[in-house]
Amino acid sequence: MTVKSTARARKKAAPGVPDTLRATGKDAQPELVQLLTPEGERVEHPDFPLTVEPDELRALYRDLVLVRRFDAEATSLQRQGELGLWASLLGQEAAQVGSGRALRPGDYAFPTYREHGVAWCRDVDPLNLLGMFRGVNHGGWDPNEKNFHLYTIVIGAQTLHATGYAMGITKDGADDAVIAYFGDGASSQGDVNEAFTFASVYNAPVVFFCQNNQWAISEPTTTQTRIPLYRRASGFGFPGVRVDGNDVLACLAVTRWALEHARSGNGPVLVEAFTYRMGAHTTSDDPTRYRLAEETEAWKAKDPIARLRTLLEKEGLADEAFFASIDAESERLGLRVREGVRGMPDPDPTLIFDHVYAEPHALVDEERAGYVEYAASFEAGENL
């Protein structure tokens, strides 16, 4: 059987697009997919059923708590001068953990610079993330070992990388899918729209996961688009769905569906996780200059960790001993992160010259020698 005929066979067996996602008219407003309300009530959705065992719920709670603790520790370390910069995910834990846990081992994730929760789900050591923000490495993990690409700082560029990788999967005839993460601000970038075009035309098995945290640095989503972001997908010829980004169960269910839709030969899906950035865009940003405190307070009531804890307590699936054990584990993680970052050795500054070109280069050699001489002058006290 050829690759092309295999793709056709897979497409026939693929799950259909839910009826609630087919509407594309001006007034079409598919509901926000939600399986766990802000009050901790478990609800069902006809198009996205989800069965989770008690152990899975407790594991998701653990993920959320530890990811938040790691993020908070990194923010503190930056404020103490231990990191050059940090992009916090506070408030977006459910979107990242839910989607991250939906991935199969063979699936490949392309992150921005904020997907610390997805990195956690792909078993990337948090200290490797912090090494990049401390300036001692360029990533620190093997992308092909973790199926988690290095962080991309250029806004939206990773969506093109993801689409190309997904097109390669199709040519290989593999049963895997790709997920590309980006924010609401990046949806306005040309790279993202080009990725949509190529993914649609080539029927690439890629899920575009947009974390709409309401603010592209200081610009609200309302200044970027006249329609909900998930509806942009229809213009490129593939389905889009908006999910409650603070509901870890809904994010898990919708992303599983989207990945299966893509891997089955049906092409891309756009998932808009409707969430909120509770902190600053990065530690160099001051959100109090452009948004109201009342807005942030309203979103606190939708906290992803609190609602899952409420469900666990209501259903009798976790006791105080369980929650205490998670808190103790988070303290140990915080300590490991603090000690690990402070103990990172500074890299040799001359390493920056080593991989400018694949082969030796006269100008680079001259610049390296000049830098070495300049640095040595400090040791000799000439420039003090």
Side-chain angles (χ1 to χ4, degrees):
M1 182 179 286
T2 66
V3 172
K4 192 173 290 186
S5 61
T6 301
R8 276 198 293 266
R10 288 165 58 202
K11 186 169 183 177
K12 289 180 181 178
V17 177
D19 290 337
T20 54
L21 306 186
R22 295 184 185 278
T24 57
K26 179 180 178 182
D27 298 324
Q29 288 290 339
E31 64 186 57
L32 181 77
V33 178
Q34 188 177 84
L35 299 181
L36 183 61
T37 71
E39 296 75 31
E41 294 291 336
R42 182 73 164 87
V43 294
E44 299 296 331
H45 193 285
D47 294 325
F48 300 100
L50 179 69
T51 300
V52 284
E53 300 298 326
D55 284 347
E56 294 178 86
L57 289 173
R58 288 189 287 266
L60 288 170
Y61 179 83
R62 173 181 177 270
D63 285 337
L64 295 174
V65 171
L66 295 185
V67 165
R68 178 172 290 185
R69 177 53 188 268
F70 160 65
D71 179 66
E73 203 65 47
T75 299
S76 295
L77 285 166
Q78 194 284 329
R79 298 306 190 199
Q80 296 163 16
E82 301 291 349
L83 303 178
L85 186 74
W86 183 247
S88 174
L89 59 64
L90 183 61
Q92 300 176 222
E93 297 91 351
Q96 295 192 16
V97 168
S99 61
R101 289 304 182 195
L103 295 167
R104 293 182 184 177
D107 295 336
Y108 208 107
F110 286 80
T112 66
Y113 44 77
R114 199 188 301 275
E115 272 66 61
H116 321 311
V118 185
W120 173 268
C121 294
R122 301 308 271 178
D123 295 324
V124 174
D125 191 324
L127 287 174
N128 281 335
L129 300 179
L130 296 177
M132 184 183 72
F133 288 94
R134 188 173 172 86
V136 302
N137 62 41
H138 296 295
W141 66 91
D142 181 351
N144 293 323
E145 176 193 351
K146 304 297 185 181
N147 276 14
F148 183 77
H149 200 267
L150 296 176
Y151 275 7
T152 301
I153 307 301
V154 179
I155 305 299
Q158 72 281 357
T159 58
L160 287 172
H161 307 156
T163 299
Y165 191 96
M167 291 165 63
I169 286 177
T170 300
K171 292 184 180 297
D172 290 342
D175 186 30
D176 297 319
V178 176
I179 188 166
Y181 291 89
F182 60 100
D184 49 291
S187 69
S188 299
Q189 291 287 336
D191 284 6
V192 174
N193 289 270
E194 290 167 13
F196 286 179
T197 297
F198 271 82
S200 178
V201 170
Y202 286 93
N203 214 46
V206 57
V207 174
F208 296 107
F209 195 92
C210 175
Q211 293 175 83
N212 179 1
N213 64 20
Q214 313 301 313
W215 290 93
I217 307 184
S218 58
E219 292 296 318
T221 308
T222 52
T223 66
Q224 300 182 69
T225 179
R226 296 180 65 179
I227 61 171
L229 292 178
Y230 71 90
R231 288 178 55 191
R232 288 184 173 180
S234 64
F236 293 89
F238 55 88
V241 55
R242 175 183 278 185
V243 62
D244 183 346
N246 285 23
D247 177 353
V248 68
L249 301 184
C251 289
L252 175 64
V254 169
T255 309
R256 276 182 181 170
W257 169 83
L259 289 166
E260 188 60 30
H261 178 95
R263 81 172 81 254
S264 298
N266 288 288
V269 177
L270 171 61
V271 176
E272 178 193 356
F274 200 74
T275 181
Y276 193 79
R277 191 192 78 215
M278 294 300 294
H281 175 69
T282 69
T283 45
S284 64
D285 170 45
D286 179 8
T288 63
R289 297 181 62 185
Y290 55 80
R291 69 185 189 191
L292 299 175
E294 291 84 351
E295 180 180 296
T296 306
E297 287 299 316
W299 276 90
K300 282 184 179 179
K302 304 174 184 180
D303 181 74
I305 297 179
R307 66 171 73 179
L308 183 54
R309 176 167 181 152
T310 299
L311 175 68
L312 290 170
E313 291 174 333
K314 281 184 177 180
E315 300 295 327
L317 302 177
D319 55 18
E320 286 304 316
F322 167 78
F323 294 119
S325 70
I326 299 299
D327 290 342
E329 186 177 2
S330 74
E331 289 296 323
R332 293 193 296 272
L333 175 62
L335 178 62
R336 183 170 81 86
V337 167
R338 285 195 302 277
E339 293 181 343
V341 167
R342 289 169 177 162
M344 288 179 179
D346 292 334
D348 181 352
T350 62
L351 291 174
I352 196 172
F353 299 98
D354 288 354
H355 301 291
V356 178
Y357 293 98
E359 302 295 334
H361 192 282
L363 179 59
V364 174
D365 291 342
E366 180 184 341
E367 291 173 341
R368 179 191 290 107
Y371 176 80
V372 169
E373 182 180 356
Y374 172 72
S377 69
F378 285 92
E379 296 180 9
E382 297 173 16
N383 291 313
L384 296 179

